[in-house]
DNA sequence: TCTGGGGTCCTAGGACCC
DNA sequence: TCTGGGGTCCTAGGACCC
């Protein structure tokens, strides 16, 4: 008997949370992103299904969303609100087994640990409990490993249950383009197409060495395994340990003067220091990111002489990294990231 | 389409050492 | 000093995901 992995994904999570606390928004096109002002620089975090009907989707510039759907309700991103609801959801999911959290609105559940021979029934129970506890709908994907479960969810949206197994993998996905796979984006799909690999089946039947020549010894064979539906079924309930914390900010008006850039990097470094302190582990390296107005981005880092959580030391390191930027064109975005040791 | 912010992981190349 | 090969560390960048 296969060991089942379940993947739970909340439907239009952020928009749904907003509708929950403002029921008058139900049924309206709702777009959440930036600070809620669609005339500013920013992108859509989530659009309700009603807004999606107008071609508004995650990642779309807010200004474009406004053009496509002028009557939409635009709301600012309210992180703490989503985190609070997410915590409720995850707590509910833990009633069913080990939970591996993937983000605010996604998790794997190892329901097989309970000797589950009817994962569909478990999936329906999960949906019922999540709705009872939070008033939110979710979709559940069932698979023999995490990859299959994750991709199955896409076929169950919204509010449904779908299953993907080694048996059904190629029937369902064989003719799909490679970017349907989890971990394969537009860039990788394009490179694969140059090797005359277009579909999931094409990739699955290519020798791993062929793919490794183009993508390296780790990613190459991994791509072929993913195309075959092969992945880990281990659901880890271990607490997440952050590798880094950062802050970045896109300016409404490009910074024209380098002294402003210096000031802003110092400010961001102090904000990041607050998170490093909260993390309870010292940082070992600081990385500064600069995106110039023509949308060209580069980064420079500086390893700390010794691990530290001290705000002034982190700010000083950020300025050392910043000094390595010699280009003085207008700056659109600045970022500071602190990395923890291994 | 004038293109966010939070992250993670992998790779390639150079430095350095034996 | 015309000049190998391997290992490791560091850094910048690429790609992806939510």
């Amino acid at each position: 008997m296969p060991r089942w992995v379940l993947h739970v994904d909340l439907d239009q999570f952020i928009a749904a949370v907003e509708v929950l606390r403002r029921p008058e928004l139900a049924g309206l096109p709702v777009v959440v992103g930036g600070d809620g002002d669609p005339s500013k620089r920013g992108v859509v975090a989530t659009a309700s299904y009603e807004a999606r009907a107008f071609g508004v989707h995650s990642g779309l510039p807010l200004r474009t969303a406004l053009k496509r759907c002028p009557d939409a309700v635009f709301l600012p991103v309210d992180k703490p609100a989503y985190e609070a609801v997410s915590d409720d959801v995850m707590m509910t999911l833990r009633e069913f087994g080990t939970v591996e959290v993937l983000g605010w609105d996604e998790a794997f559940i190892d329901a097989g640990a309970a000797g589950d021979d009817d994962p569909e029934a478990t999936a329906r129970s999960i949906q019922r409990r999540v709705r009872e506890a939070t008033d939110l709908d979710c979709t559940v994907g069932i698979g023999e490993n995490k990859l299959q479960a994750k991709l199955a969810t896409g076929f169950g949206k919204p509010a449904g249950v779908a299953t993907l197994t080694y048996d059904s993998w190629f029937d369902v996905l064989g003719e799909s383009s490679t970017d349907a796979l989890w971990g394969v984006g537009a860039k990788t799909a394009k490179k694969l197409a140059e090797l005359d690999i277009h579909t999931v089946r094409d990739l699955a039947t290519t020798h791993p060495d062929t793919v490794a020549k183009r993508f390296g010894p780790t990613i190459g064979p991994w791509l072929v395994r993913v195309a075959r539906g092969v992945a880990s079924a281990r659901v880890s309930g271990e607490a997440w340990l952050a590798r880094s914390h950062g802050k970045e900010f896109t300016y409404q008006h490009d910074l024209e003067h380098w002294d402003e850039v210096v000031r802003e990097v110092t400010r961001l470094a102090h904000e990041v220091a607050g998170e490093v302190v909260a993390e309870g582990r010292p940082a070992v390296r600081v990385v500064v990111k600069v995106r110039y107005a023509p949308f060209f981005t580069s980064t420079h880092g500086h390893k700390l002489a010794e691990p530290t959580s001290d705000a002034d030391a982190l700010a000083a390191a950020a300025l050392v990294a910043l000094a390595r930027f010699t280009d003085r064109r207008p700056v659109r975005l600045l970022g500071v990231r602190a990395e923890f040791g291994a």
Side-chain angles (χ1 to χ4, degrees):
Chain A
M1 184 177 68
R3 173 195 187 87
W4 298 108
V5 175
L6 275 55
H7 176 256
V8 178
D9 193 313
L10 278 290
D11 297 334
Q12 46 171 4
F13 177 68
I14 291 174
V17 172
E18 295 294 352
V19 171
L20 265 189
R21 58 179 176 180
R22 295 177 221 200
E24 70 275 15
L25 297 181
L28 299 179
V30 174
V31 177
V32 183
D35 68 358
D37 180 347
S39 70
K40 287 188 177 173
R41 284 176 171 174
V43 299
V44 175
T46 304
S48 68
Y49 290 123
E50 291 80 2
R52 288 178 204 188
F54 289 86
V56 176
H57 53 82
S58 300
L60 191 74
L62 286 174
R63 286 170 181 164
T64 309
L66 179 63
K67 277 183 209 145
R68 291 192 186 175
C69 193
D71 295 330
V73 178
F74 287 88
L75 298 173
V77 174
D78 183 355
K79 235 175 96 175
Y82 315 140
E83 281 166 350
V85 177
S86 177
D87 287 347
D88 290 345
V89 170
M90 298 306 164
M91 209 166 11
T92 305
L93 296 183
R94 288 193 181 91
E95 296 168 14
F96 294 87
T98 303
V99 171
E100 183 174 326
V101 178
L102 280 189
W104 288 338
D105 62 342
E106 266 186 64
F108 290 113
I109 304 181
D110 184 2
D116 192 348
D117 60 355
D118 191 353
E120 278 221 26
T122 306
R124 301 285 176 198
S125 307
I126 289 170
Q127 290 176 316
R128 216 164 27 241
R129 273 297 293 140
V130 169
R131 174 154 263 293
E132 275 171 16
T134 66
D135 255 339
L136 294 171
D137 286 325
C138 62
T139 300
V140 182
I142 301 168
E144 293 175 69
N145 59 44
K146 292 195 276 191
L147 171 66
Q148 293 171 0
K150 164 84 182 173
L151 288 185
T153 300
F155 296 98
K157 290 250 164 204
V161 175
T163 303
L164 201 48
T165 62
Y166 282 108
D167 231 33
S168 61
W169 180 262
F170 287 108
D171 288 341
V172 175
L173 281 166
E175 311 319 316
S176 297
S177 67
T178 52
D179 60 5
L181 296 166
W182 191 28
V184 178
K187 301 288 176 83
T188 303
K190 188 159 175 263
K191 284 188 207 165
L192 286 168
E194 288 163 11
L195 298 177
D196 206 28
I197 297 168
H198 304 278
T199 66
V200 170
R201 193 187 306 276
D202 290 341
L203 182 55
T205 53
T206 303
H207 197 285
D209 290 350
T210 307
V211 187
K213 276 193 197 103
R214 181 67 198 261
F215 292 91
T218 304
I219 289 185
W222 171 79
L223 283 168
V224 176
R225 283 199 304 277
V226 167
R228 293 174 180 171
V230 178
S232 165
R234 183 174 168 268
V235 176
S236 166
E238 283 157 40
W240 182 251
L241 257 193
R243 272 78 166 165
S244 67
H245 281 301
K247 284 275 173 208
E248 51 187 68
F249 194 79
T250 295
Y251 298 92
Q252 286 304 315
H253 303 286
D254 302 332
L255 302 181
E256 306 277 350
H257 304 291
W258 200 252
D259 56 343
E260 287 179 285
V261 171
V262 170
R263 220 168 27 241
E264 283 297 292
V265 165
T266 306
R267 180 181 69 81
L268 288 166
H270 278 87
E271 280 189 40
V272 170
E275 302 197 332
V276 172
V277 169
E279 186 69 25
R281 289 181 293 151
V284 299
R285 187 178 146 81
V286 176
V287 179
V288 171
K289 173 156 133 183
V290 176
R291 176 170 292 150
Y292 294 100
F295 215 74
F296 170 79
T297 308
S298 66
T299 61
H300 286 293
H302 183 68
K303 189 177 182 295
L304 292 155
E306 54 182 343
T308 182
S309 303
D310 180 72
D312 291 331
L314 294 174
L319 291 181
V320 171
L322 182 64
R324 300 184 55 186
F325 290 86
T326 52
D327 208 325
R328 290 293 180 269
R329 281 180 291 181
V331 168
R332 169 190 178 96
L333 168 147
L334 288 173
V336 174
R337 171 161 302 277
E339 297 177 356
F340 302 110

